[in-house]
């Protein structure tokens, strides 16, 4: 007996009393369980795709509702299973199945577009993971007094002033992340290190101690660290105008800076600063990073003149103006708005940055030349002084 199935468009030869049904042309019909095993799709997935009109069975028993599939539907089912594994949306899966035999280039474009979405999603996930690391490594205020020993170091006043200027702009202002609302001071033997971050950027600077003044107090290793509020940092910076040596004292209960007969004191913040060493290892390094030397004034002029695109940050809804920095194979740097298409000759590196943050970083570097380190659209951008690698800042990229 021959019957045309309206849903599948196939003509069936039904053999009464037989376990196996034959489709017109001699092909065998597969039960839904057999089809599931052969295609890699589960039975529930086959039922779903039938209901969605993506892969209809060749035959449905009117009494039991049992589905049977033609053997020649197997390639489409296996393709569907693969598209499902890479997370392609249902509408695009349907288009791929419709076009697979007639327009391979259109199928290729659909796959490329889906891969770009996956890459952008991974970039978003990396940025969110970086933010979560900050939250996870920053503890709640401790109920117990800190046992961090006191440290003292004398440094050249002008160098300390430059170090403060190099990091102050990156301190956070989000009341929900109070551990980022200050500057981290760390005495490591005879080196003072300053770090500030608001999770979208980080700035680091170092000052070598006066060789005539060794670190006093502190642990045997000469190590002491505290995070101080920006109010103390700003008051201390006001003392660093005459170039006199400055003596910094870091303790768990109080911090102080003395310049000649003038002194400013403050209270450390009772929040643990995030593990910036780990963040630095994540954000910098790599043999494939491009290093471009540029003139600060020239880059500032190009950033100011170029149009930008306004982007709304997904995590906090803040709006920012985004510029794109692109570097070609000859190490030539160009600046364009975020929605500008890539040049005919694809750049080696192309990364979107918050223009305001980059201008702040240029202010911190000062006049002259700097080195930009770029490593693709999802890795942070590093801004370094050309003649002094002890001070640098890191900017998180913005998806473009």
């Amino acid at each position: 007996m021959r019957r045309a199935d309206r849903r599948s468009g196939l003509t069936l030869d039904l053999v009464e009393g037989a376990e196996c049904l034959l489709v017109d042309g001699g092909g065998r019909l597969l039960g839904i369980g057999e089809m599931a095993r052969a295609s890699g799709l589960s039975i529930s997935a086959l039922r779903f795709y039938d209901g969605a009109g993506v892969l209809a069975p060749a035959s449905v028993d009117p009494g039991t509702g049992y589905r049977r599939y033609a053997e020649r539907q197997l390639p489409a089912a296996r393709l569907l299973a693969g598209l499902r594994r890479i997370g392609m949306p249902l509408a695009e899966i349907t288009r791929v199945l419709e076009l697979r035999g007639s327009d391979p280039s259109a199928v290729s474009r659909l796959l490329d577009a889906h891969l770009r979405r996956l890459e952008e999603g991974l970039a978003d996930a990396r940025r969110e993971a970086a933010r979560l690391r900050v939250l996870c490594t920053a503890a709640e205020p401790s109920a117990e007094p800190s046992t961090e020993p006191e440290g003292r170091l004398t440094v050249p006043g002008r160098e300390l002033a430059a170090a403060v200027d190099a990091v102050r702009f990156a301190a956070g202002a989000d009341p929900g992340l109070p551990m980022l609302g200050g500057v981290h001071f760390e005495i490591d033997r005879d080196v003072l290190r300053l770090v500030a971050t608001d999770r979208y950027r980080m700035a680091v600077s170092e000052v070598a101690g006066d060789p005539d003044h060794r670190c006093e107090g502190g642990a045997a290793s000469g190590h002491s660290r505290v995070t101080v509020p920006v109010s103390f940092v700003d008051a201390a910076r006001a003392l660093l105008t005459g170039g006199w040596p400055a003596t910094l004292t870091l303790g768990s209960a109080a911090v102080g800076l003395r310049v000649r007969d003038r002194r400013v004191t403050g209270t450390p913040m009772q929040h643990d600063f995030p593990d910036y060493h780990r963040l630095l290892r994540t954000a910098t390094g790599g043999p494939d990073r491009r290093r471009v030397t540029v003139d600060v004034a020239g880059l500032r002029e190009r950033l100011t003149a170029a149009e930008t695109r306004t982007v709304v940050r997904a995590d906090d809804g803040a709006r920012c103006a985004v510029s794109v920095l692109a570097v070609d194979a000859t190490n030539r740097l160009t600046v364009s708005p975020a929605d500008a298409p890539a040049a005919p000759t694809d750049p080696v590196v192309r990364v979107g940055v918050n223009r305001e943050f980059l201008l702040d970083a240029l202010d911190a570097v000062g006049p002259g030349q700097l080195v930009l380190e770029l490593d693709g659209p999802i890795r942070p951008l590093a801004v370094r002084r050309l003649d002094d690698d002890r001070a640098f800042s890191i900017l998180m990229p913005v998806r473009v």
Side-chain angles (χ1 to χ4, degrees):
M1 180 175 63
R2 174 164 292 188
R3 187 189 64 174
D5 188 88
R6 293 180 180 178
R7 301 179 71 224
S8 66
L10 300 175
T11 301
L12 309 179
D13 287 322
L14 308 182
V15 182
E16 285 193 41
E19 292 267 332
C20 167
L21 298 182
L22 298 179
V23 68
D24 191 31
R28 190 167 62 95
L29 285 176
L30 310 176
I32 192 169
E34 191 176 0
M35 184 65 165
R37 290 189 295 273
S39 66
L41 291 168
S42 66
I43 291 176
S44 60
L46 285 169
R47 288 172 178 156
F48 170 79
Y49 288 120
D50 175 21
V54 178
L55 184 67
S59 168
V60 179
D61 188 293
T64 64
Y66 190 79
R67 297 167 172 83
R68 291 183 173 85
Y69 294 83
E71 271 188 317
R72 62 170 172 258
Q73 291 181 282
L74 259 177
R78 287 168 176 161
L79 175 60
L80 197 162
L83 297 173
R84 174 187 172 98
R85 281 193 293 272
I86 65 172
M88 180 171 277
L90 181 62
E92 294 185 13
I93 288 177
T94 304
R95 287 292 293 158
V96 169
L97 292 177
E98 290 172 351
L99 298 170
R100 65 190 178 102
S102 59
D103 195 345
S105 61
V107 171
S108 181
R109 287 193 296 271
L110 287 169
L111 289 170
D112 289 342
H114 181 61
L115 287 175
R116 282 194 297 272
R117 281 196 303 270
L118 293 177
E119 290 166 355
E120 291 168 356
L122 177 60
D124 286 341
R126 289 184 191 276
R127 283 190 288 269
E128 185 64 13
R131 186 183 75 86
L132 294 175
R133 285 192 184 98
V134 171
L135 296 177
C136 291
T137 57
E140 294 295 323
S142 175
E144 298 296 327
S146 171
T147 58
E148 189 73 32
E150 182 181 272
R152 184 178 294 109
L153 187 66
T154 298
V155 297
R158 285 195 178 88
E159 293 188 18
L160 179 56
V164 170
D165 293 343
V167 305
R168 172 65 177 85
F169 74 96
D174 185 347
L177 296 171
M179 71 292 295
L180 306 182
V183 176
H184 188 67
F185 282 67
E186 183 172 300
I187 294 175
D188 188 358
R189 297 185 182 275
D190 61 348
V191 173
L192 171 65
R193 185 175 300 110
L194 282 67
V195 187
T197 180
D198 63 359
R199 71 182 165 147
Y200 301 108
R201 52 187 172 175
M202 176 185 292
V204 181
S205 188
E206 293 183 352
V207 182
D210 189 324
D212 295 330
H213 298 78
R214 295 185 61 82
C215 178
E216 302 172 15
S221 63
H223 195 102
S224 183
R225 57 192 174 193
V226 297
T227 304
V228 299
V230 293
S231 57
F232 171 82
V233 175
D234 294 341
R237 177 63 180 86
L239 298 186
L240 303 170
T241 56
W244 301 98
T247 300
L248 184 71
T249 303
L250 305 181
S252 59
V255 294
L257 180 76
R258 179 172 54 83
V259 180
R260 303 188 77 189
D261 59 349
R262 303 174 67 191
R263 181 179 179 85
V264 60
T265 60
T267 302
M269 299 172 64
Q270 298 304 307
H271 298 277
D272 289 340
F273 197 75
D275 181 4
Y276 72 90
H277 297 92
R278 184 168 66 178
L279 295 177
L280 285 177
R281 288 192 296 270
T282 302
T284 61
D288 298 328
R289 289 177 71 82
R290 303 288 295 188
R291 292 169 174 83
V292 185
T293 301
V294 296
D295 178 72
V296 173
L299 179 56
R300 171 177 288 281
E301 183 178 348
R302 281 187 280 172
L303 286 168
T304 304
E307 294 182 0
T308 60
R309 174 184 171 189
T310 299
V311 173
V312 178
R313 288 200 299 245
D315 55 349
D316 62 1
R319 300 168 70 86
C320 60
V322 176
S323 296
V324 169
L325 304 181
V327 180
D328 63 18
T330 65
N331 248 27
R332 184 175 65 93
L333 179 74
T334 58
V335 180
S336 63
D339 51 1
T345 56
D346 291 336
V348 176
V349 177
R350 189 170 185 263
V351 58
V353 294
N354 182 315
R355 184 179 68 173
E356 178 186 352
F357 286 177
L358 182 52
L359 290 173
D360 287 343
L362 298 185
D363 286 340
V365 168
Q369 291 187 310
L370 60 78
V371 175
L372 294 177
E373 292 185 1
L374 306 93
D375 194 20
I378 63 174
R379 293 292 299 274
L381 166 75
V383 182
R384 299 181 182 271
R385 291 175 176 166
L386 180 62
D387 56 351
D388 186 358
D389 61 359
R390 294 178 302 171
F392 60 94
S393 56
I394 295 167
L395 309 180
M396 296 301 291
V398 179
R399 188 183 69 182
V400 296

